[in-house]
Amino acid sequence: MTNQNNSVFRIPPYYFIHVLDLNENVTRLIIGPKTFVKQDNEKVVFGPEKMIIIPPNYYCIVENPVLRDDTNNVMFDKNKSVLLAFADTEIRFAREPFPLYPGEILKQNITPLRILPANSALRLKAILDFEEENGEKRVAGDEWLFEGPGTYIPRKEVSVEEQIRATTIKPNQAIRLRARKECTDRNGKERVTGEEWVVKKNGAYLPGAYEEVVSVVDAYVLTEKRALHMRSLRTFTDDFGKKRLNGEEWLITLDDTETHIPSVYEEVVGVVDVTTLSSRQYAVILDPIGEDGKPQLGKKRLIKGEKSFFLQPGEKLEKGIQDVFVLGEDEGLILKCIEAFEDENKQQKSPGDRWMIKGPTDYVPPVEVEVVTRRKAIPLDENEGIYVRDIKSGKVRAIVGQTYMLNQDEELWEKQLMPNIEKLLIRNPLLEAALTEKLDKESLPNRNKSRVVSFRVPHNGAVQVYDYKEKKARVVFGPNLVLLGPDEQFTQLSLSGGKPKIPNKIKSICLLLGPDFSTDIFQIETADHARLSLTVSYNWHFDTSNINDPKEAAKLFNVPDFVGDACKSISSRIRGAVASKSFDFFHKNSARIIRESVFGLDENKKIRKEFYFEQNNLVITSIDIQGVEPVDQRTRDSLQKSVQLAIEITTNSQEATAKHEAERAEQEARGKLERQKILDEAEAEKARRALLELQALSAAVESTGQAKAEAQSRAEAQKIEGEAAVEQARLKADAAKIEAQSELERLTHARNAELGYVREQNEIEISKQTQLSEVEVNKFKKMVDAIGAQTLREMATAGPDLQVKMLQALGLQSTLITDGSNPINLFNTANGLIGNFSPKKQKHNPEDDVD
């Protein structure tokens, strides 16, 4: 920014400034090198700025350029202001450095010229009418290409729309072009707006100014296993010279060409893969193409393998590729004629005919035949069967225990059973406790309904089967297997259960013949209106002595709920018998009353052993009274009080007996305790006397034995030291002997390999050393023997003896060491213990005189 405070401006070379004359309001240009002195009426409005330098192959655009005359001089008006071409631009190329005159604007900075390589072009558009150097006139809106290689020189009348690069067309490729405006393509063919065409020539293709590349199209490679499904978009002649109508579809295979590039008037519907059939396959083509190339709608064509073919447009396979039916010995096919024809055996077949072929064979159905189903023989064991229905007559029969194949007029028939029967066939509530409630919540089991329904009757059980067609029933006893016929059903039993008994609690199809037991709870009332709840359990079984008689066997199922019927009958008998008895009498004789009421009395007034139901041969053998409980609260309270009173009386009696026994045991224990106390006191006095005697003895020993113990201990110490010295000497001799022996062995092993005379020298040396060691040992032994044991003992006790002599020399008989605070004279106390000591006469030793 210009500093207006400066009045002097030094303009270097190739720099310029703009100076405004404030009086005339005219801006002039000043070019360096120059020193400019600013007047008071002048103002530097721009600069100093460097001149614009354009190198070769560069350009810039100046807006509002100055006007120049024919001699290229700048033109000024009468006010000496430069004349400008307002709203115009000027493109300036490489030249001498130039300044910007006042009013000129650098619209585009210095920019390099665009150099186009080969296979590229600039799409140019005229924005003003002008005439080129070659005399060609351009009108605003015209478009053309500037193709490379070359350097593009820009003009102010021309704008660059885009740079176009050539598209390389590779082998098996083409480009699809579209005309944006009526033009002539590079092959000289006229094109209208929107027209499309394909260029297949390999190489680089540079689209024209009014051409655009829609896409690059790759060729489809055709093989023996691939074909092209084509569709015509308009009527045209294809690459093979065949006229195609609008919407026509056809197939191009390897026989036509190896590669195919679709033209603009055809589209690829899809790639069709070859359909290959093996020797064990076949296919049926719907709407096949005839020999004239037209589809035969509604017809079929059978193709058997081995063969490979392409499906033509409009053709499709019925059920795809199908395998040839290979039938074994136990297989067959049910066939149906859908169109009249004559079979292989020259037999005429009409539509609707059904027949069956059996294996072993292989079969390919013609187009006039439909395969209804494939049948296989069903192997059945002795206890297995199936239900078969004749579709012509509707008759259903059961096939059991043989291998059977359904023919063309038969089908499997499903036997329907009630939901409860379905569940009871698998699980029997009479054999499993607490199962009745679970069965209601369980889902129905999966059962093959075409199989004959079977049920295994357990041991000591019976099942009734009713035939609704014959109106007859049969009873099957276990263990056995029941097979239901087509018209047979199981008889369902609804038995009472629970405590007390609830009707229809247990459902079953099997009746257990016992023996078994049943428990019931019911209420009774005595003659004195005491209401009681009675729990009774009784054993029962069915009389099966005449089960071979159908009438006797059928009697087992005469009573649908034999449990509820027996319980009601027994409870009514007991109520009638108890109603005439008082509560106390019943309480004491309840078992007899109940047994008499149920079983009755015989001619000898004895209770019978069983209770027989003739309607269904049910026998009650025994009754167990499990509990009697009052229903009325007052009766229950009274009975409870009487029981509590009896318990209380018994408890008090036992308590008094136990109390008396406890008091007696307490007196005996107290007497023993007093006697033991007297004995313990006598023993304590004896122990106290012994303690005092021991204390006195201990005091005497303590006062007299200390000095003696010290003397004995010192003597023993000296003795031990002497013995230790002797032992040490002996050990040293042994050690020396061991060392000599070790050295002998080492020398012996080391010199075994030496010569004879060296060995003899070693032996002499060993003998010498042995003798020396023996001499030393003997010497030491003799020295010890010479000194003697008595001498050694005296040497060991020399110290204590010297001390004794010193005390004797001082005239002391005994010594007592105290703490000094309480001096005590006890010199004569131990006189009796030590005795009168008379000093021995010491022998005179001449060596003492020498010392």
Side-chain angles (χ1 to χ4, degrees), residues 284-288 295-301 316 339 367:
V284 177
I285 300 178
L286 301 179
D287 302 331
Q296 300 175 353
L297 301 179
K299 292 188 177 182
K300 299 180 181 180
R301 180 190 299 166
K316 58 183 178 180
E339 185 178 348
V367 295

Side-chain angles (χ1 to χ4, degrees), residues 668-685:
E668 292 179 357
R670 190 178 290 113
K672 291 181 181 180
L673 181 62
E674 292 295 335
R675 185 168 62 252
Q676 185 66 33
K677 187 184 293 184
I678 295 170
L679 294 175
D680 292 344
E681 289 178 356
E683 293 293 334
E685 290 297 329

Side-chain angles (χ1 to χ4, degrees), residues 821-834:
S821 61
N822 297 317
I824 301 174
N825 187 5
L826 296 176
F827 290 122
N828 295 324
T829 302
N831 191 17
L833 295 174
I834 300 174

Side-chain angles (χ1 to χ4, degrees), residues 711-729:
Q712 289 178 353
S713 63
R714 284 194 294 271
E716 290 293 333
Q718 294 296 330
K719 182 180 179 181
I720 291 171
E721 289 179 357
E723 292 176 353
V726 174
E727 183 67 21
Q728 183 177 7

Side-chain angles (χ1 to χ4, degrees), residues 46 118 141 163 169 304 397 417 428 467 482 571 574 580 582 633 735 740 747 836 845:
F46 185 73
Q163 182 174 349
I169 304 175
K304 299 180 182 180
R397 58 195 178 100
L417 298 177
N428 189 1
D467 191 337
V482 179
S571 62
I574 294 175
S580 60
S582 64
Q633 186 65 33
L747 294 175
N836 293 326
N845 191 357

Side-chain angles (χ1 to χ4, degrees), residues 335-347:
L335 306 178
K336 181 180 179 181
C337 179
I338 57 177
E339 185 178 348
F341 77 104
E342 188 176 281
D343 62 6
E344 299 174 353
N345 299 326
K346 304 300 181 179
Q347 294 182 358

